[in-house]
Amino acid sequence: MKIDPKTQDKFFNILKAVVIPRPIAFVSSQSKDEVVNLAPFSFFNGVCYDPPTISISIARFAGKKPKDSLVNIEETGEFVINLVNRNMAEAMNKTAAEYPSEVNEFELAGLTATPSELVKAPRVLESPVSLECKLIQVVPVNEGSRKECGLVLAEVVYCHIKDELFDGRYVDMKGLNVIGRLGGHDYCELGNFFKMKLQVYTPET
Ligand SMILES: Cc1cc2nc3c(=O)[nH]c(=O)nc-3n(C[C@H](O)[C@H](O)[C@H](O)COP(=O)(O)O)c2cc1C
């Protein structure tokens, strides 16, 4: 089948089902008035190694209401990405509804807010890894449209990882037990791992 996204009413559903699995950035942020916010975003990825840089794409609006996370990130230039393990999945899901700005999603989801080192927003204590981030730039995508997104580019300035998940050299990736976002209402746990060394090209002399 051939599909032209412009003629497919809900191509978004196809996109979400084929760009998989997506890691989840569980973003804690706070407003300039220090109202704390927590919400998940799966259009999330690494961008550069040095300085460590990540991207998250956040729709500017949910209906007519601006998404608090993007407002807070633009206002303060800071936030934390908390990874989501299987035990946190249901709590994470609770925070994704469109609550009024003043709602503290940490309390609502029964998660613990604990202070960060270099940014004002708290991190999620239960999370296996938290990455404190400082904003580099918000790149507007589809600017001016109702479907505008802000592509957030940010530097990771501090990293928290549970002691038992890092031996000083390697991360225990299975131990992270992170979940991935798929299409529809589906999520995944990590399955079988396999190794493959990077292919090296050696020109013949
Ligand atoms: C697993 C998951 C992934 C999501 N990924 C995104 C995303 O990548 N971009 C986005 O704009 N919204 C995404 N959402 C929806 C937001 O979490 C939702 O709009 C949330 O209410 C925004 O909260 P805020 O207004 O407090 O920022 C996702 C929701 C879930 C459950």
Side-chain angles (χ1 to χ4, degrees), residues 37 39-43 57-59 67-69 96-98 181 187:
N37 196 83
F41 299 95
S42 65
F43 279 14
S57 175
I58 304 181
K67 293 207 183 188
D68 295 322
S69 304
E98 313 295 345
R181 181 76 166 116
Y187 291 81

